[in-house]
Amino acid sequence: MASPAHELDPALDKDGVRLTVDDAIATVTLTNPAKRNAQSPALWRALTEAGRLLPGSVRVVVLRAEGKSFSAGLDRQAFTPEGFDGEPSFIDLARGDDAELDATIAEYQEAFTWWRRSDILSIAAVQGHAIGAGFQLALACDLRVVADDAQFAMRETSLGLVPDLTGTHPLVGLVGYARALEICATGRLVMAEEAVSTGLANLAVPADQLDGAVRDLASAVLAAPRDAVIETKALLQGAQHRDYEAQRAAERAAQARRLRDLAGLGE
C-alpha cells in the first residue's frame, strides 16, 4: 500500500474524491477536510466513477479521509431551498413523482454498493466523526478499522428521514436488529470501543496508527491467493441468505472449484 496515497498520480480527483492505484491496492480518499468531508450528489457520482475505474489488478480498496473527520454526513446545503448548484434541491425531488424519486435515490445509492463486489475486499479507515451518510459509507465496506477517536451516528431519523444509502442491511447484519434499531432511532454516538465490541468495527487503534493498521490488514489479505479470497467472500456473503444445508452445498461447490483450479483442471 502506497504511503501516503497522494504521492501516486490519481486516476480520479474531483468533487471531493481522489482515487489512486498501486498495483493490487486502490485508495479512495475523501478530500474536503474543511467541510469535514460532507457529502453531496456530486461526491456520490465521483465515488461511483471511482468504482468503475478500478483496474482488474486491484484486490483491496482502502477508503480513507483527509482531516479530523471521516465524514460528517450529508452537506446541510441539501436541505436549503437552493440546494447545490446544478442539482435539484431535496424540495424539488420531493415534488417529483414516485418513479423519479426512486430513480434518483437509486442513483445516489450506487456510490455505496460497489464496495462489496466479490472481486475486491474493501477496508474503511475511520477517524473522528462518521455521521449519517458518513456512517453508511463506512458500512458499505467489507471491513472497518477505526481510530480511537471514531464516533459513529445515524442521524437521519432525528432529521425526520430514514437511512437510505444502503446502510441498514449491513448494520443489522453486524450488530443485530435490536441494537441497530436503537442506534438509528436515537441517533446516539457509537464510540470506537463499542464499535469493536459489537462487531461494527474490526479493530480500533490510536489515531496515529490508523494508516499503519490498515496497511497491515491489506497486506494480510493480499498474502492469500486471490481466487480463494473471492470464493470465501462469496460464501460468507451468501450465508445469511441460505439455510444450513444450502450453505453446506455452497461450500462443497466452491471447494470443488478450488481443488480443480489447484490441480490445473479448472475451466
Side-chain angles (χ1 to χ4, degrees):
M1 179 174 173
S3 178
H6 64 257
E7 291 180 354
L8 297 167
D9 291 332
L12 176 76
D13 194 355
K14 68 179 186 180
D15 297 322
V17 174
R18 182 172 61 241
L19 167 67
T20 56
V21 178
D22 184 12
D23 192 22
I25 299 180
T27 303
V28 177
T29 304
L30 306 181
T31 61
N32 192 5
K35 296 195 74 171
R36 296 196 299 160
N37 298 304
Q39 299 182 31
S40 67
L43 180 140
W44 295 333
R45 284 192 292 270
L47 285 175
T48 300
E49 186 176 351
R52 292 172 180 164
L53 288 174
L54 292 181
S57 62
V58 169
R59 294 182 54 190
V60 174
V61 181
V62 173
L63 171 62
R64 59 184 297 277
E66 294 178 348
K68 295 182 178 181
S69 294
F70 177 76
S71 174
L74 184 64
D75 191 322
R76 292 302 180 93
Q77 189 173 336
F79 297 103
T80 66
E82 299 80 19
F84 302 100
D85 290 342
E87 304 279 355
S89 70
F90 277 19
I91 295 173
D92 292 334
L93 290 175
R95 293 190 179 114
D97 62 33
D98 288 348
E100 292 173 335
L101 187 54
D102 183 80
T104 300
I105 296 173
E107 179 187 352
Y108 296 161
Q109 288 176 331
E110 290 181 15
F112 298 75
T113 58
W114 62 266
W115 305 89
R116 290 180 178 266
R117 279 170 27 188
S118 62
D119 61 321
I120 60 172
L121 191 147
S122 55
I123 306 170
V126 180
Q127 79 280 4
H129 291 94
I131 309 298
F135 191 2
Q136 294 187 79
L137 187 56
L139 285 166
C141 293
D142 296 308
L143 309 175
R144 280 150 296 284
V145 178
V146 303
D148 53 12
D149 67 347
Q151 301 179 45
F152 296 97
M154 201 72 83
R155 292 282 168 77
E156 286 82 353
T157 308
S158 305
L159 297 172
L161 302 170
V162 300
D164 67 335
L165 297 172
T166 79
T168 56
H169 188 277
L171 182 61
V172 171
L174 290 165
V175 305
Y177 161 75
R179 190 178 297 269
L181 177 59
E182 178 249 327
I183 287 170
C184 292
T186 65
R188 70 172 177 88
L189 291 174
V190 178
M191 313 302 280
E193 182 178 356
E194 181 184 356
V196 173
S197 67
T198 58
L200 183 59
N202 297 80
L203 177 68
V205 297
D208 61 357
Q209 297 177 25
L210 182 60
D211 288 340
V214 172
R215 281 196 298 271
D216 290 346
L217 180 55
S219 296
V221 171
L222 293 176
R226 178 172 193 162
D227 288 345
V229 173
I230 290 173
E231 290 275 15
T232 301
K233 179 176 177 177
L235 267 177
L236 295 174
Q237 285 181 321
Q240 58 189 319
H241 307 298
R242 303 186 189 105
D243 63 21
Y244 181 72
E245 292 302 323
Q247 185 68 6
R248 286 181 60 206
E251 289 175 359
R252 296 194 299 271
Q255 193 70 302
R257 287 191 294 271
R258 297 306 314 126
L259 289 170
R260 291 192 182 102
D261 284 345
L262 291 173
L265 300 174
E267 296 181 0

